[in-house]
Amino acid sequence: MTPLAAEVNENLAQISNYLIYSSMAVYTLAFLAHIAEWTFGSRSKVARTAAALTAQSGGAAAAPAVQVRSQGGTAVLDKPKVVTRSAPGTRDVPDGPGAAGGTAEGDLYGRIAVSLTVLGFLLEAAGVVARALSVQRAPWGNMYEFSITFSTVAVGAYLVLLALKKNVRWLGLILVTTVLLDLGIATTWLYTESDQLVPALHSYWLWIHVSTAIFCGAVFYIGAAGAVLYLLRDSYEAKLASGGTPSKIATSILERFPSAASLDKFSYRINAAVFPLWTFTIIAGAIWAGDAWGRYWGWDPKEVWSFVTWVAYACYLHARATAGWKGRKAAYLALFAFACWIWNYYGVNILLSGKHSYAGV
């Protein structure tokens, strides 16, 4: 490499660092905007009224009303508002009004938060691209590069769901908080100077295998967030149905989330959609191992825990399709599966040694 090329690469690495830190600053502003959204939303009469109606009905929602308007001599029937319901035999509870709680102020701050999240995503994505240009390869050669790409994909998946008009803005505060945590760990403890790959990683399979692993982990994270919120909302609904009185803080927050049934479906559909791609990730890794090391499977720690994660998610999907394992049991299993993925990333890379020891820390 010529001195000029080396200087250019070093400058690109510095630009990448600047962009990553800039994205963290913007994500922090998005975090504060989401806090404001939830704060103004807590004053919403819409949310409190919905919770009161739910409690009075013992968890059973009334049939949607049909309003009749008169236009001259013609009667016009307004279509009833359609709400998401739970599966037959379970609580029939409408979704909450969202983080903004139906207030104009809360909605304004929510829109600001989403706009800032978009800006943070663009800055972080540009930082990942600059890192790739500085090393002239895929930016996934160590844990720092993997982490910044992981959070970029997670935010991107969230924004895609918003663009598809999915009701997921309630996920914004949790997502931005964990992204800041991920980037904080990456820049503080996992940072590694730009460098070339070890010989085993010089393959086009790096683009295929590692990119799908990052995408799967980011989407699994969104599914896990849905499972956690399902457990919280389910406990809240169960307490209301039994005549209990949740705390004011729990009521103010949980009454605005989608119903437990909606969160359960959301988590299941997210995990079910990405599971085939995780299966492909393991198969692609085995093929790459055959090319690089002359064997497809060697029970390396990373291979073992990738397979354990696959088994855990397979058990979850099977359990979710079995009547006796729907609901809380299946949600616990989904969280266990994601915990296996997290251990496979942090624990195996840092604490265990093997052919996949590319942590760079």
Side-chain angles (χ1 to χ4, degrees):
M1 180 182 297
T2 64
L4 178 60
E7 182 180 357
V8 170
N9 291 343
E10 182 179 354
N11 291 336
L12 286 171
Q14 292 176 354
I15 292 173
S16 173
N17 295 341
Y18 173 78
L19 290 170
I20 295 299
Y21 280 109
S22 297
S23 71
M24 293 176 67
V26 175
Y27 282 139
T28 301
L29 295 177
F31 169 81
L32 296 175
H34 275 300
I35 290 292
E37 178 187 19
W38 281 94
T39 300
F40 282 102
S42 66
R43 305 175 184 178
S44 170
K45 293 181 180 179
V46 175
R48 289 196 296 271
T49 302
L53 291 175
T54 300
Q56 291 172 6
S57 64
V66 177
Q67 298 180 348
V68 180
R69 295 183 290 106
S70 177
Q71 293 185 352
T74 305
V76 180
L77 298 179
D78 286 339
K79 294 182 179 180
K81 182 180 179 181
V82 179
V83 296
T84 303
R85 304 297 187 184
S86 57
T90 58
R91 290 186 299 273
D92 193 11
V93 180
D95 290 341
T103 63
E105 296 88 349
D107 183 67
L108 173 62
Y109 280 104
R111 292 177 183 276
I112 292 174
V114 172
S115 298
L116 289 170
T117 302
V118 172
L119 177 58
F121 166 76
L122 294 176
L123 289 170
E124 188 180 8
V128 173
V129 172
R131 177 78 176 196
L133 294 175
S134 71
V135 292
Q136 300 178 3
R137 58 168 172 79
W140 311 313
N142 51 60
M143 287 187 69
Y144 169 74
E145 295 172 354
F146 193 103
S147 293
I148 62 175
T149 307
F150 171 86
S151 56
T152 302
V153 174
V155 176
Y158 165 71
L159 294 176
V160 167
L161 290 174
L162 283 178
L164 294 176
K165 307 298 183 182
K166 303 298 182 182
N167 177 26
V168 294
R169 204 166 82 185
W170 46 266
L171 185 61
L173 178 58
I174 300 170
L175 176 70
V176 171
T177 302
T178 49
V179 164
L180 283 171
L181 178 62
D182 173 74
L183 291 177
I185 293 173
T187 55
T188 304
W189 290 295
L190 302 179
Y191 181 77
T192 304
E193 295 291 342
S194 300
D195 199 2
Q196 293 304 310
L197 298 173
V198 296
L201 294 183
H202 283 288
S203 171
Y204 61 89
W205 282 106
L206 175 66
W207 292 92
I208 301 173
H209 171 65
V210 182
S211 64
T212 54
I214 293 173
F215 179 82
C216 289
V219 179
F220 278 148
Y221 157 75
I222 293 177
V228 170
L229 293 176
Y230 159 74
L231 292 172
L232 295 174
R233 173 77 188 202
D234 183 67
S235 297
Y236 169 75
E237 291 180 7
K239 195 165 189 177
L240 285 178
S242 63
T245 304
S247 66
K248 291 184 178 179
I249 295 179
T251 299
S252 174
I253 296 174
L254 294 176
E255 69 183 0
R256 285 178 277 162
F257 279 110
S259 67
S262 294
L263 291 169
D264 183 39
K265 292 176 183 176
F266 172 80
S267 179
Y268 170 68
R269 289 171 179 173
I270 288 290
N271 289 324
V274 80
F275 178 74
L277 190 59
W278 181 247
T279 303
F280 170 78
T281 301
I282 296 177
I283 295 173
I287 297 173
W288 187 9
D291 291 341
W293 301 315
R295 51 71 169 173
Y296 294 103
W297 195 266
W299 298 105
D300 182 80
K302 178 70 69 173
E303 296 170 350
V304 170
W305 280 98
S306 295
F307 179 67
V308 170
T309 303
W310 184 90
V311 170
Y313 273 109
C315 290
Y316 160 73
L317 295 176
H318 175 72
R320 183 61 177 73
T322 304
W325 275 82
K326 289 183 180 179
R328 299 185 69 87
K329 291 181 180 180
Y332 287 131
L333 190 51
L335 292 178
F336 171 76
F338 184 68
C340 290
W341 192 94
I342 289 294
W343 166 255
N344 190 27
Y345 177 52
Y346 286 104
V348 172
N349 282 340
I350 296 175
L351 301 178
L352 302 180
S353 61
K355 288 184 175 295
H356 290 80
S357 299
Y358 306 127
V361 296

